[in-house]
Amino acid sequence: MNIELEIFSPVHQLNNKLFDERDLLVYTKRDDLIQPIISGNKWRKLKYLLREAQRQHKNHLVTFGGAFSNHLLATAGAAARFGFKATGFVRGDEVNNDTLFMCRLHGMNLIFVDRESYRDKQHLFNRYFGSDEQAFFIDEGGTSPEAVKGCGELINELTETYDHIFCAAGTGATAAGIISGIALHKLNTKCHVIPVLKNGDFIGDEIIRLVPDATNYQLHTDYHFGGYGKTTDQLISFIKQFVADTGIIIEPVYTGKLFYTLYDLAAKSYFNPGDKILAIHTGGLFGLLGMKDKF
Ligand SMILES: *Cc1c(COP(=O)(O)O)cnc(C)c1O
């Protein structure tokens, strides 16, 4: 089977008083529309990994994530779509939620493991699937050179050039891909990376590990709102306002922090008048459903 999705990721302009006043042209690339389950950057990260699995004649994807992991869900969706079996190791006690329900619905077998055992993923893989010749290891979040390559392709799709591209980072692989895509096309675009975790400087190390000659990027480490999966009333009210104003759904774990940063920097006159800015909407709708009680 040919492992390919038709990419539907249009660029939409965001209009409001703030951007008018600052003379900014702000757009978002709707990777969230690529597919409802294999959403956003997760498809880009998985594409070449699935092709590698296929090349090695392995039909069983084995991967790892937390109970709200968009990566687990995307792997389940991609496995179903392209005829693989899938197993997900889930960190922590057995629970059920919308994300895991959707994983199961797509046929993923879930194995819950305590936090201690979860740390050594290769060991878990060997223990459970060491004798399964079909099993193909995919690291947590899909982080890999294949993921960087897939995410870099986002830049090929752009029909305009931008002064700034913004993206949220959990592992930094998506940002690394975008940075390498910008370099490949020799664009004069600065990539702004928003770590959604506390102490996000490690994302910079990760970017350099994946793309050793990375330049022209900027980390914004002060927009984590308390850490991964954490939120504040300020972030929640921003998200409500954004969705009501634009009709574009964002959520507190990744894209809420991304757009908050962009709006905050615009308000603080960080940009030059006339700048063209593109924010990558990396999807993550199911993360929102996991946080309904915060709204
Ligand atoms: C996983 C994810 C990210 C972060 O991607 P990394 O490559 O891990 O940095 C950003 N946004 C959404 C919606 C995600 O699900």
Side-chain angles (χ1 to χ4, degrees), residues 41-42 45 70 168-174 251 254-255 282-284:
N41 61 339
K42 296 302 185 280
K45 294 178 79 171
N70 294 329
T171 65
T174 302
E251 44 69 47
Y254 294 102
T255 51
T282 41

Side-chain angles (χ1 to χ4, degrees), residues 196-262:
V196 301
L197 309 87
K198 229 189 263 184
N199 305 320
D201 283 318
F202 79 92
I203 296 281
D205 303 336
E206 188 61 7
I207 289 171
I208 292 297
R209 189 179 72 82
L210 293 166
V211 187
D213 54 353
T215 54
N216 212 11
Y217 67 95
Q218 171 77 50
L219 290 187
H220 299 274
T221 53
D222 292 334
Y223 291 93
H224 56 73
F225 294 87
Y228 184 75
K230 300 279 195 314
T231 183
T232 64
D233 292 345
Q234 209 178 8
L235 181 61
I236 297 294
S237 54
F238 172 80
I239 290 171
K240 285 185 183 162
Q241 191 70 50
F242 182 95
V243 179
D245 285 349
T246 63
I248 298 170
I249 296 178
I250 58 173
E251 44 69 47
V253 184
Y254 294 102
T255 51
K257 293 176 183 179
L258 166 76
F259 283 101
Y260 187 102
T261 307
L262 170 50

Side-chain angles (χ1 to χ4, degrees), residues 38-294:
I38 323 172
S39 174
N41 61 339
K42 296 302 185 280
W43 166 246
R44 298 188 188 277
K45 294 178 79 171
L46 282 169
K47 176 172 142 183
Y48 289 104
L49 285 168
L50 266 59
R51 289 193 182 173
E52 181 58 21
Q54 186 183 51
R55 196 185 67 77
Q56 295 180 23
H57 303 290
K58 305 210 175 203
N59 69 2
H60 179 193
L61 308 177
V62 178
T63 195
F64 307 83
F68 293 95
S69 165
N70 294 329
H71 163 73
L72 273 187
L73 179 58
T75 306
R81 172 75 175 72
F82 297 108
F84 293 88
K85 259 175 61 176
T87 295
F89 284 100
V90 188
R91 184 182 59 232
D93 294 335
E94 178 149 3
V95 287
N96 206 357
N97 61 37
D98 294 321
T99 301
L100 297 177
F101 162 69
M102 279 302 203
C103 287
R104 287 199 182 90
L105 180 66
H106 285 81
M108 182 178 253
N109 172 39
L110 299 178
I111 304 175
F112 293 84
V113 290
D114 64 81
R115 281 160 196 278
E116 189 54 40
S117 329
Y118 185 83
R119 252 174 233 142
D120 193 344
K121 299 184 180 60
Q122 197 65 56
H123 180 75
L124 273 179
F125 178 83
N126 293 341
R127 194 168 111 211
Y128 282 82
F129 301 110
S131 60
D132 177 356
E133 302 231 315
Q134 298 295 327
F136 184 78
F137 177 96
I138 298 179
D139 208 349
E140 182 174 37
T143 299
S144 55
E146 287 86 350
V148 175
K149 181 177 175 197
C151 291
E153 291 181 349
L154 182 153
I155 302 296
N156 306 351
E157 295 160 22
L158 302 180
T159 54
E160 312 237 348
T161 56
Y162 300 89
D163 300 295
H164 310 275
I165 292 184
F166 275 71
C167 73
T171 65
T174 302
I178 290 170
I179 290 165
S180 71
I182 289 172
L184 190 71
H185 289 265
K186 301 190 175 9
L187 299 175
N188 191 15
T189 304
K190 185 163 191 170
C191 184
H192 297 262
V193 184
I194 294 90
V196 301
L197 309 87
K198 229 189 263 184
N199 305 320
D201 283 318
F202 79 92
I203 296 281
D205 303 336
E206 188 61 7
I207 289 171
I208 292 297
R209 189 179 72 82
L210 293 166
V211 187
D213 54 353
T215 54
N216 212 11
Y217 67 95
Q218 171 77 50
L219 290 187
H220 299 274
T221 53
D222 292 334
Y223 291 93
H224 56 73
F225 294 87
Y228 184 75
K230 300 279 195 314
T231 183
T232 64
D233 292 345
Q234 209 178 8
L235 181 61
I236 297 294
S237 54
F238 172 80
I239 290 171
K240 285 185 183 162
Q241 191 70 50
F242 182 95
V243 179
D245 285 349
T246 63
I248 298 170
I249 296 178
I250 58 173
E251 44 69 47
V253 184
Y254 294 102
T255 51
K257 293 176 183 179
L258 166 76
F259 283 101
Y260 187 102
T261 307
L262 170 50
Y263 280 58
D264 194 51
L265 293 176
K268 290 173 173 158
S269 299
Y270 177 89
F271 304 106
N272 294 318
D275 274 358
K276 260 169 86 179
I277 304 163
L278 181 70
I280 309 303
H281 192 319
T282 41
L285 171 63
F286 280 86
L288 178 67
L289 299 181
M291 294 180 89
K292 289 194 288 269
D293 59 330
K294 301 276 195 276

